[in-house]
Amino acid sequence: MRELIGRLESSDDPAVAALRVIDHFDRLVQARATAAAVVRATAALAGCPAGLHDAEAGSVRRFDPEGRPLPETEHASSVRLAVPGRIGAWVWLERPDATTGPLDPLLLERAAHTIQALNRPAPHTPATLVRVACDPDAAEHDRRNAVRALGLPSDVTVVVATAPFPALPLAAAIGRYTVALAPAPVAFPTDLRAGTALAGEPLDLPTAVGRAAIAFRLTDRVGGPGASVVRYEGLGAVAALVEHFSPPDAAAVPDVQRLNQALATRPWIIDTLQAALDQTSLRQAADRLHLHHSTLQERLAWLESRLDLALAKPGGRQRAAIALALWRIARSEDPGPEAQFQGYDYDRDGKAELGSRPRTAGRSSCGGHVNAQETQPDSST
């Protein structure tokens, strides 16, 4: 969504901007987005609050340009449009002083027709059912029906990754992630890099997806010294650290900045820290890194003298572990602690944008993964 708004703001050609808006709403239809997601997208593109009154559902949905829900009370607006084929349903934009953006008529027309199209029955493919099951905007009975149609028991493991995994067929692309559902417990293949979380019932699935995404931010590469599959339930207090640090916040921490500066000449730092923290002895850590233990000792001595990360001293191990976790957060592609899949914040480029908050567009507009360092020949001295 943010990229689309940026393109709209930088475009001087109204026809190009209009085509991009049309394409975006077409993708919402393809992704079977919810009506709430359509209203979110409309508000973000218009740069002002948007709403939907639906008499048949007995509801009013309003969102601000940041995707946050507003009180469900109808707002007097000068710009509104009825949803075709749906009695008592209309969409609107809430602009001050009865002003009108240049693309307001198009935005309302596409929003209304998108909601109309989404009221039609959707094909029940596994990917569609997974999206409904994980969608916090979906009605409770729809989510339960989707889980039942997928043949899942009450206890479900949610798996979040950045690449498809054939071993788990009940999956859907949602934003930058692939989200899969499987009966708990799950035996994961060795070549999988993913975060996981448990859901005890269908109502917990959206929360579990957000938790699995949090766990994913701490994964190592496949074949690295750290875990390439991380369980949210195993994180404990570490999960709170991930939830409260966005990548920019983590990158600003001095220990993380020192790690990044040192990586330019010492690419072995991250793997060395990970192995030393995970293993119970230096010899085991050296074996994990395929190093002689004396080489590992030299590296750890360098980390202590140059970065003040002394794993053998009181408090040093905790500091190193926190610095490494924050480094992974800083390098992750997850938009941050607000990315709890709240309504997916639907930037559905044919998929949902998990948790990202779009920049608001002005009225003139439209209205890491983590790559841990490979072990290199030693240069610690």
Side-chain angles (χ1 to χ4, degrees), residues 37 53 86 90 122 127 137 158 160 172 185 204 226-227 254 267 277 287 300 309 326 328:
H53 176 101
R86 194 164 180 85
W90 54 83
D137 282 331
V158 176
V160 165
D204 297 335
L277 289 167
D287 290 343
L300 294 177
L309 296 176
L326 290 173
R328 295 203 183 280

Side-chain angles (χ1 to χ4, degrees), residues 42-64:
T42 304
L45 292 170
C48 69
L52 165 67
H53 176 101
D54 190 342
E56 292 185 20
S59 66
V60 174
R61 307 301 300 271
R62 295 172 63 227
F63 295 93
D64 70 9

Side-chain angles (χ1 to χ4, degrees), residues 197-268:
L198 294 176
E201 60 171 317
L203 292 181
D204 297 335
L205 280 170
T207 300
V209 175
R211 289 175 173 174
I214 287 170
F216 181 80
R217 297 169 72 187
L218 294 177
T219 56
D220 198 354
R221 69 188 187 281
V222 173
S228 63
V229 176
V230 174
R231 295 171 49 252
Y232 177 87
E233 290 75 21
L235 292 178
V238 178
L241 181 73
V242 185
E243 290 167 352
H244 287 84
F245 273 88
S246 68
D249 291 338
V253 174
D255 276 351
V256 176
Q257 293 177 339
R258 283 191 286 270
L259 284 175
N260 282 326
Q261 292 166 0
L263 279 170
T265 56
R266 303 292 190 276
W268 44 261

Side-chain angles (χ1 to χ4, degrees), residues 138-365:
E140 178 182 342
H141 67 275
D142 288 336
R143 200 178 304 154
R144 292 189 185 279
N145 289 340
V147 170
R148 190 178 302 112
L150 290 168
L152 293 169
S154 56
D155 293 332
V156 176
T157 296
V158 176
V159 185
V160 165
T162 54
F165 21 86
L168 300 173
L170 303 182
I174 303 178
R176 65 173 59 91
Y177 294 116
T178 296
V179 177
L181 306 180
V186 179
F188 296 107
T190 57
D191 60 348
L192 177 65
R193 178 171 175 258
T196 76
L198 294 176
E201 60 171 317
L203 292 181
D204 297 335
L205 280 170
T207 300
V209 175
R211 289 175 173 174
I214 287 170
F216 181 80
R217 297 169 72 187
L218 294 177
T219 56
D220 198 354
R221 69 188 187 281
V222 173
S228 63
V229 176
V230 174
R231 295 171 49 252
Y232 177 87
E233 290 75 21
L235 292 178
V238 178
L241 181 73
V242 185
E243 290 167 352
H244 287 84
F245 273 88
S246 68
D249 291 338
V253 174
D255 276 351
V256 176
Q257 293 177 339
R258 283 191 286 270
L259 284 175
N260 282 326
Q261 292 166 0
L263 279 170
T265 56
R266 303 292 190 276
W268 44 261
I269 287 175
I270 298 301
D271 280 3
T272 298
L273 281 174
Q274 188 71 66
L277 289 167
D278 287 348
Q279 304 302 320
T280 57
S281 70
L282 288 183
R283 192 169 295 277
Q284 289 177 331
D287 290 343
R288 185 73 179 89
L289 294 169
H290 307 293
L291 295 173
H292 192 276
H293 70 275
S294 63
T295 302
L296 177 59
Q297 287 177 328
E298 291 175 357
R299 290 184 175 185
L300 294 177
W302 188 93
L303 288 170
E304 179 176 353
S305 64
R306 302 297 179 87
L307 300 184
D308 199 23
L309 296 176
L311 274 67
K313 293 183 178 179
R317 195 173 188 86
Q318 292 92 326
R319 178 178 175 181
I322 293 172
L324 180 58
L326 290 173
W327 182 86
R328 295 203 183 280
I329 295 170
R331 293 287 296 270
S332 73
E333 295 180 348
D334 198 6
E338 75 276 9
Q340 295 301 305
F341 295 69
Q342 182 180 355
Y344 293 168
D345 220 27
Y346 283 89
D347 178 23
R348 283 192 173 175
D349 289 340
K351 305 155 190 167
E353 178 75 14
L354 297 185
S356 70
R357 292 193 180 278
R359 242 174 355 105
T360 57
R363 189 158 45 92
S364 61
S365 305

Side-chain angles (χ1 to χ4, degrees), residues 25 34-55 59-65 68-83 88-95 104 107-113 115:
F25 280 101
T34 63
V38 176
V39 180
R40 277 196 183 94
T42 304
L45 292 170
C48 69
L52 165 67
H53 176 101
D54 190 342
S59 66
V60 174
R61 307 301 300 271
R62 295 172 63 227
F63 295 93
D64 70 9
R68 295 183 290 260
L70 296 172
E72 296 181 2
T73 55
E74 185 112 14
H75 187 276
S77 171
S78 59
V79 185
R80 67 172 62 198
L81 187 68
V83 176
W90 54 83
V91 291
W92 69 83
L93 298 174
E94 302 175 12
R95 293 203 181 277
D104 282 5
L107 285 168
L108 287 173
E109 186 268 337
R110 297 315 301 171
H113 281 85
I115 292 170

